[in-house]
Amino acid sequence: MPELPEVETIVRGLRPTLPGKTIERLRILHADVLRQPRREFSARLKGRTFESVDRRGKNIVAHLTEGVVLVVNLGMTGRLVWARDETPTTHPAVRFTVNAGPALVYDDVRRFGRLEAMNETEWALRDRDLGPEPLSSTFTAQRLHEDLSRSVSPIRSWLLDQRRVAGVGNIYANEALHLAGIHPQRSCKSMTEGEARKLHRALRRTLSSAVENRGTTLKDYRDASGNPGDNASRLRVYGRGEEPCLRCSTRVCRLVFGNRSAFYCPSCQPFGSGVTA
DNA sequence: AGTGTATCCTGCAGGC
DNA sequence: TGCCTGCAGGATACAC
């Protein structure tokens, strides 16, 4: 659910309010969202003060005093929200009581999300396994083309692999491939330099415009204040199976592989040429 | 190395 | 109304 634009929106919402807050108490209502024993999680965080909040891929990364790093991956339905009356939390899993203002609540219907408190060294190791940030200057069309040339995976599967590119999920992978005119099952190494450049541009455009629209809310996603995003109406193919392509009116197809739905326009994204390269 | 499959969970929509 | 099935934005472990 929450991909790069949604996590970025949450982080931007937390930035003005979270730093300076000290965790006074933690209540763990569902320990299965923790990646470590609950006592260790609590001991590392209790009494620490938030200093900054960042995003890495789909992870919220909060830095606290004494070198403690809180990493939150929201899974499908996770939310990190301030507990206020206008944004009721239906499935709270962890509640952080802070020294001033409302509590910070990790709420997650399906509990696929994960939280972990670690030190800087542990975080550096985790960070190293993630691919480049698609909106950063280190992510170039040339690098993308080189990386693609080493894989025989279908391009959609490759885009979802967080070790290749960090932050892309099923919605934006499908959207970017449509914008780039590339079939989701095309093999990575069949990608020409021109196609890699198109895909590079499509990824950046798709993700940055979704950030501007504060993320895509299909059902569950909410920002740190509990508000939905505005990007859902901008989706061109995701969730639009059987509906006409907004570009050419051909019926959008739905295909399942890698255990996920892929949506594409067979006319704008032909499987066609270059497949067996 | 890569892929398909199952798994962790709950909720919702659709068919009967 | 109830029951059943399939589906959902993610990550990971397993066998092959």
Side-chain angles (χ1 to χ4, degrees):
Chain A
M1 152 210 189
E3 306 181 27
L4 184 155
E6 291 75 36
V7 178
E8 180 65 27
T9 303
I10 291 167
V11 165
R12 288 182 185 185
L14 291 172
R15 235 170 233 151
T17 46
L18 195 55
K21 297 276 195 327
T22 300
I23 299 175
E24 291 184 338
R25 274 195 357 247
L26 292 97
R27 189 178 304 176
I28 297 161
L29 300 105
H30 287 287
D32 54 1
V33 301
L34 305 182
R35 286 183 61 133
Q36 67 201 132
R38 69 160 80 203
R39 291 184 55 199
E40 184 186 343
F41 181 78
S42 295
R44 286 185 171 198
L45 291 170
K46 200 169 176 184
R48 307 284 181 266
T49 302
F50 287 100
E51 293 185 320
S52 60
V53 205
D54 294 308
R55 178 191 60 74
R56 176 73 172 103
K58 300 176 193 171
N59 301 290
I60 299 166
V61 185
H63 293 267
L64 295 92
T65 45
E66 296 180 58
V68 175
V69 184
L70 170 64
V71 180
V72 180
N73 185 292
L74 302 166
M76 297 274 243
T77 52
R79 298 176 183 178
L80 198 56
V81 290
W82 293 110
R84 286 187 296 223
D85 293 340
E86 60 268 33
T87 61
T89 51
T90 55
H91 296 71
V94 181
R95 169 178 282 261
F96 301 90
T97 303
V98 294
N99 57 328
L104 183 68
V105 178
Y106 179 71
D107 189 271
D108 193 344
V109 172
R110 294 174 71 181
R111 301 203 304 281
F112 284 179
R114 291 294 178 265
L115 285 73
E116 186 172 6
M118 55 185 90
N119 62 39
E120 296 284 357
T121 310
E122 291 164 334
W123 166 240
L125 290 173
R126 192 77 69 73
D127 178 63
R128 204 184 54 184
D129 285 336
L130 293 171
E133 284 293 327
L135 296 179
S136 81
S137 55
T138 59
F139 181 70
T140 62
Q142 189 188 350
R143 173 175 181 175
L144 176 63
H145 188 228
E146 283 167 14
D147 290 348
L148 289 172
S149 70
R150 282 183 243 110
S151 171
V152 296
S153 289
I155 182 66
R156 203 281 313 258
S157 304
W158 192 91
L159 289 171
L160 294 187
D161 187 339
Q162 300 301 296
R163 295 168 302 183
R164 315 295 186 192
V165 190
V168 179
N170 205 27
I171 293 181
Y172 301 112
N174 280 282
E175 292 298 308
L177 287 168
H178 179 262
L179 190 57
I182 297 169
H183 190 286
Q185 285 184 304
R186 282 276 307 281
S187 107
C188 292
K189 65 191 304 184
S190 77
M191 236 38 82
T192 64
E193 201 182 326
E195 286 173 323
R197 201 170 327 151
K198 270 194 197 170
L199 180 57
H200 176 260
R201 194 185 312 141
L203 279 167
R204 287 183 176 249
R205 276 216 223 160
T206 303
L207 293 168
S208 55
S209 98
V211 169
E212 282 171 32
N213 292 315
R214 307 178 49 81
T216 299
T217 297
L218 296 180
K219 196 159 88 69
D220 300 298
Y221 165 70
R222 294 294 182 281
D223 68 14
S225 305
N227 300 314
D230 298 326
N231 199 64
S233 61
R234 309 292 193 95
L235 301 181
R236 296 154 147 268
V237 282
Y238 186 85
R240 299 192 60 249
E242 303 299 307
E243 292 173 42
C245 170
L246 296 175
R247 209 183 125 241
C248 74
S249 298
T250 303
R251 264 204 281 167
V252 171
C253 292
R254 173 174 175 265
L255 181 70
V256 178
F257 67 96
N259 256 339
R260 320 288 296 272
S261 290
F263 297 92
Y264 67 100
C265 168
S267 168
C268 297
Q269 300 163 267
F271 196 76
S273 58
V275 174
T276 50

